[in-house]
């Protein structure tokens, strides 16, 4: 699993279902493959399978939660 970071968190009203739904839909991967999700105040960390990393990052810029755009980056 690889951890990625989203630029939205609790203060934006992000819920785990929103994250799984948007990543699974846009990257065309099954939602059950997405691992742990840790939602902090301003950012969120999500574990995704290594073999899905390219698919997930290729769609960066298309992700939305509600009307808000979400950007992804590999967590350091």
């Amino acid at each position: 699993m690889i951890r990625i970071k989203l630029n939205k968190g609790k203060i934006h009203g992000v819920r785990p279902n929103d994250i799984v739904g948007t990543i699974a839909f846009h990257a065309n991967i099954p939602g059950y493959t997405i691992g742990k999700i840790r939602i902090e105040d301003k950012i969120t960390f999500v574990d995704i399978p290594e073999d899905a990393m390219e698919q997930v990052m290729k769609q960066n810029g298309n992700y939305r939660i509600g009307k808000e755009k979400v950007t992804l980056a590999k967590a350091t």
Side-chain angles (χ1 to χ4, degrees):
M1 294 291 237
I2 295 178
R3 183 158 292 161
I4 57 172
K5 179 172 68 171
L6 284 72
N7 67 336
K8 303 290 180 202
K10 284 181 188 173
I11 63 173
H12 304 101
V14 172
R15 300 174 311 176
N17 289 348
D18 299 331
I19 294 165
V20 171
T22 195
I23 292 174
F25 176 76
H26 288 292
N28 196 25
I29 61 172
Y32 65 83
T33 62
I34 296 171
K36 288 185 179 181
I37 297 172
R38 191 173 86 221
I39 302 174
E40 296 185 356
D41 288 338
K42 296 183 180 180
I43 59 173
T44 300
F45 294 99
V46 182
D47 290 345
I48 59 167
E50 283 185 51
D51 57 344
M53 182 68 172
E54 188 178 328
Q55 279 179 272
V56 170
M57 295 310 285
K58 192 185 296 182
Q59 296 299 321
N60 204 358
N62 294 333
Y63 296 108
R64 290 181 175 273
I65 294 179
K67 293 185 179 181
E68 304 251 345
K69 277 196 169 191
V70 178
T71 57
L72 309 176
K74 190 171 179 180
T76 54

